[in-house]
Amino acid sequence: MDLNGKHALITGGGTGIGLAIAKALAEAGAEVTITGRRKEVLEKVAGGRIHALAMDVADEASVVEGFASAVAARGQIAICVANAGIAEGKALHKMDMAFWRKVIGINLDGAYLTMREAMKSMTGLEYGRVIAIASIAGIKGLRGAPAYTASKHGMIGLVRGLSEDYMGTPITFNAICPGYVDTAIVSENTVSIAARAGITEEQALKMMVQTNRHQRLITPEEVAHTAMYLCDPNSGSINGQTMEIAGGQM
Ligand code: NAP
């Protein structure tokens, strides 16, 4: 795939799934802006066609400013991947408004702001791809994580709505819905689930692995592979879809 001359922006692109997508896009020739809150994390992996930009997706001014500077530096955005997210779980009776707002603010408000600012730049293009990294928790309920589940269902609703609104343009909107992927989110959840459920970290990890139908963690590169499939110029008729990557049917 030749993405030479195309500018891609990936939120949360300094680690995990976002970084795997950034590397794959850069390898295909795109200029890739990676964003996140921790500048030092971004700068460590930037270089060549990968460019670091500090931006907090939960902060409207930061997103507006971040997109403006990325577009000024590398031109219109042709590929936007709304990937930034947190996966913190808490039962309803233990959740307060601040926790709810944090999860929705980063995962759903963040995706909205990212797509809104991307669309401002994606005018008059002959090719455009907007991809949301949702989750299988966007398709079905994830036990112990109602706020996360709501945020990921919301991301899919946003993708479906925008795919209708921009129908007939060269821009497609799709969501990728992975099961458990081998990233920091899983290692952090291994610790927090073990503490909450009173089980060992080994048991907590086993629980997550067993949720994936093929009984193994998914690699970030497998998710990146699906993102690249959606970025292929021949994928222009795939729009408003959810691509489940969970080793089997959910
Ligand atoms: P990760 O390595 O922890 O990536 C999350 C990224 O989001 C980090 O780079 C983080 O960077 C960024 N981020 C978090 N809050 C942000 C904010 N307010 N503003 C900007 N960036 C922010 O874990 P990952 O697994 O690759 O997660 C990527 C996405 O995949 C998430 O949306 C997650 O929900 C989704 N997902 C993951 C799994 C899984 O099992 N790993 C499964 C399904 C879906 P900073 O902290 O530096 O901001």
Side-chain angles (χ1 to χ4, degrees):
M1 195 187 316
D2 181 9
L3 297 178
N4 258 293
K6 294 196 173 18
H7 181 192
L9 186 144
I10 308 172
T11 65
T15 62
I17 294 169
L19 179 58
I21 297 173
K23 286 180 177 167
L25 286 168
E27 209 165 289
E31 291 299 324
V32 186
T33 303
I34 53 168
T35 76
R37 292 165 301 182
R38 292 166 297 166
K39 203 165 183 225
E40 69 287 359
V41 169
L42 298 166
E43 281 173 349
K44 218 192 247 176
V45 296
R49 292 197 172 98
I50 300 182
H51 312 274
L53 173 72
M55 183 176 102
D56 181 348
V57 295
D59 176 343
E60 184 174 13
S62 172
V63 179
V64 171
E65 203 179 293
F67 268 87
S69 76
V71 171
R74 283 172 286 285
Q76 277 180 290
I77 286 156
I79 299 165
C80 171
V81 184
N83 163 77
I86 54 166
E88 291 179 24
K90 233 177 219 187
L92 183 66
H93 64 282
K94 291 189 177 158
M95 239 195 273
D96 58 14
M97 199 59 198
F99 178 83
W100 171 264
R101 284 275 9 124
K102 181 169 86 167
V103 176
I104 299 294
I106 294 174
N107 293 0
L108 183 54
D109 296 356
Y112 150 68
L113 289 171
T114 297
M115 292 183 198
R116 188 189 78 186
E117 292 310 302
M119 291 314 294
K120 281 187 192 165
S121 134
M122 292 171 89
T123 51
L125 293 172
E126 285 172 8
Y127 161 102
R129 298 284 182 268
V130 177
I131 299 170
I133 306 300
S135 165
I136 52 160
I139 310 277
K140 61 185 281 241
L142 180 64
R143 196 183 165 95
Y148 183 73
T149 300
S151 73
K152 294 298 184 181
H153 274 69
M155 280 177 90
I156 291 174
L158 184 63
V159 158
R160 288 181 172 151
L162 293 176
S163 75
E164 291 294 322
D165 286 354
Y166 289 90
M167 184 97 46
T169 76
I171 303 166
T172 62
F173 297 81
N174 291 288
I176 296 178
C177 301
Y180 286 104
V181 184
D182 193 4
T183 71
I185 279 186
V186 162
S187 40
E188 283 158 16
N189 269 303
T190 301
V191 177
S192 67
I193 290 172
R196 275 188 288 147
I199 54 177
T200 65
E201 289 180 19
E202 200 180 21
Q203 286 168 323
L205 180 61
K206 200 169 168 200
M207 261 170 53
M208 286 187 274
V209 168
Q210 283 176 345
T211 305
N212 287 345
R213 298 296 308 282
H214 53 358
Q215 312 279 289
R216 68 164 174 84
L217 289 180
I218 297 149
T219 67
E221 289 71 27
E222 287 179 287
V223 182
H225 182 74
T226 302
M228 292 307 286
Y229 171 74
L230 291 172
C231 288
D232 191 302
N234 288 318
S235 297
S237 297
I238 302 169
N239 196 13
Q241 301 302 310
T242 52
M243 317 277 286
E244 293 174 25
I245 310 178
Q249 294 176 64
M250 290 315 300

